[in-house]
Amino acid sequence: MKDSDRKKEKIPESPAAPEDPEMAEIKAIREKLCDMHSDIKKVMEYSNRLRFETALECSRQEYSNAILSHLYEDIETGLEKNMVKKCPEKENCRSTFSDLLQRNAGLIKQGRVNEDLVSENREKLKGMRSGAPYSKCEKCFSEVSTLFTKQVNLMRSMRIYTNNQEQKPDISALEPGILMREILEPVSNPQRLEILRAVAFETKNFSAFSEITGLRGGNLLFHLQKLMDSGLILQQHERGDYMITEKGFKILQSLNELYSSLQRSPLQTPAGKKTGEKEEIRI
């Protein structure tokens, strides 16, 4: 037989040696330890997650309580400072206003503020306002509306309150010409805005306006006529006192709410002009 033929012959494989029982036991123990280690790791991860979530919830509660305490103080301070001082219903109204505002502020403690709850509180405030017995009640309701708006704006900034539909407002119905003529142009003058603010809660005569604005004669009459022509104020009778109209009050209130909302961010001051500096107004 040639050597090449011998190489081609298959050499029968020797049977595998039986596994050492001791090594098999060690291998089984190792696998069991790996399983136990995996289970322990899962338990630790779950425990750490629970501790983290608990700590986060505690922090959220402490944060909400701190904000809520500030809002409660803001309510009491605002009502005490800006409500009508001499009114037989002051204490009753103050208690009612405080309950409504505190209930609305309490929504902050929720993880998510439902718009329907805020709207319900807003409608209650409107209902109370429509039944106000005195003209001077508007001063108190204006302060309550400002406090209410600040609360809602705070909820928005905390990202816990959003509109249900989250849709952009439809501004296609705005008529620029009417908007300028009926709203923006009449209040664009500082003196006219001072006049409108002066009659927000009480009537004023010509002399009072002259003292407030520093205008005299025809100059003052020009601005008064402008406000009357726009339907923002009216004169009770010839040579009588002036008073604000419903349209004028709504515009003034809207400006006040807009201004309050802008306080959350710094107002921009034109370059080269000091804050509080007045522009020269030409008639």
Side-chain angles (χ1 to χ4, degrees):
M1 182 179 294
K2 296 180 179 179
D3 292 339
S4 58
D5 293 336
R6 291 194 187 99
K7 291 180 180 179
K8 291 181 180 178
E9 286 187 36
K10 291 184 179 180
I11 301 175
E13 296 180 359
S14 58
E19 187 176 5
D20 187 352
E22 186 175 346
M23 291 299 296
E25 185 177 356
I26 292 175
K27 183 178 179 181
I29 292 174
R30 185 182 294 114
E31 291 176 352
K32 189 66 175 179
L33 287 174
C34 287
D35 292 339
M36 291 175 62
H37 176 75
S38 179
D39 291 340
I40 292 173
K41 185 178 180 181
K42 290 179 181 179
V43 171
M44 291 179 64
E45 289 176 350
Y46 179 72
S47 178
N48 289 338
R49 187 168 66 251
L50 285 179
R51 283 200 297 268
F52 175 75
E53 291 176 352
T54 301
L56 185 63
E57 181 62 25
C58 290
S59 298
R60 185 183 295 113
Q61 290 295 330
E62 292 177 1
Y63 177 65
S64 298
N65 289 336
I67 291 179
L68 202 56
S69 176
H70 168 73
L71 287 178
Y72 286 166
E73 183 178 349
D74 193 40
I75 291 169
E76 296 305 316
T77 302
L79 294 179
E80 175 63 27
K81 182 179 179 181
N82 297 311
M83 286 183 68
V84 175
K85 303 301 180 185
K86 297 181 180 180
C87 178
E89 298 296 327
K90 178 181 178 181
E91 292 306 317
N92 291 333
C93 290
R94 179 177 175 177
S95 176
T96 302
F97 291 152
S98 182
D99 289 344
L100 176 65
L101 291 170
Q102 288 187 15
R103 185 166 58 252
N104 190 69
L107 298 175
I108 287 178
K109 298 193 71 173
Q110 302 180 13
R112 196 75 174 171
V113 177
N114 190 325
E115 182 195 8
D116 293 336
L117 297 177
V118 175
S119 297
E120 181 180 341
N121 291 333
R122 187 181 287 110
E123 290 302 317
K124 287 181 180 179
L125 181 59
K126 288 182 179 179
M128 293 163 56
R129 190 169 200 158
S130 64
Y134 312 115
S135 59
K136 60 184 178 181
C137 292
E138 288 298 335
K139 180 178 182 180
C140 299
F141 277 104
S142 179
E143 174 60 23
V144 176
S145 295
T146 298
L147 291 171
F148 189 92
T149 300
K150 287 172 64 177
Q151 292 179 0
V152 175
N153 287 336
L154 178 59
M155 294 175 189
R156 293 185 192 278
S157 67
M158 294 172 66
R159 300 184 183 276
I160 60 174
Y161 170 80
T162 54
N163 293 335
N164 286 337
Q165 297 181 346
E166 281 297 326
Q167 295 180 344
K168 293 183 179 180
D170 181 16
I171 61 174
S172 61
L174 283 178
E175 292 287 347
I178 297 176
L179 184 65
M180 288 296 300
R181 183 173 63 254
E182 298 288 335
I183 300 176
L184 299 180
E185 201 275 335
V187 297
S188 63
N189 179 279
Q191 281 87 359
R192 289 200 290 270
L193 195 55
E194 285 287 352
I195 292 171
L196 198 61
R197 190 173 64 170
V199 293
F201 306 111
E202 58 183 339
T203 60
K204 295 285 186 181
N205 57 30
F206 194 90
S207 298
F209 289 139
S210 182
E211 184 176 338
I212 292 170
T213 63
L215 299 175
R216 300 288 186 272
N219 285 342
L220 176 56
L221 187 60
F222 169 82
H223 292 294
L224 290 173
Q225 193 63 50
K226 190 74 174 178
L227 291 171
M228 287 192 291
D229 291 343
S230 302
L232 274 61
I233 65 172
L234 57 84
Q235 193 172 18
Q236 292 179 333
H237 52 80
E238 188 177 357
R239 296 183 180 277
D241 290 349
Y242 295 85
M243 63 183 295
I244 197 168
T245 64
E246 181 180 3
K247 175 183 176 182
F249 185 82
K250 286 182 177 180
I251 291 176
L252 192 62
Q253 182 186 26
S254 298
L255 290 173
N256 182 60
E257 292 176 355
L258 175 61
Y259 179 78
S260 297
S261 67
L262 291 176
Q263 298 311 295
R264 293 186 291 113
S265 59
L267 295 176
Q268 299 297 320
T269 303
K273 181 180 176 182
K274 296 180 180 179
T275 303
E277 182 178 341
K278 295 185 178 179
E279 296 181 354
E280 181 182 357
I281 305 299
R282 296 182 180 181
I283 300 175

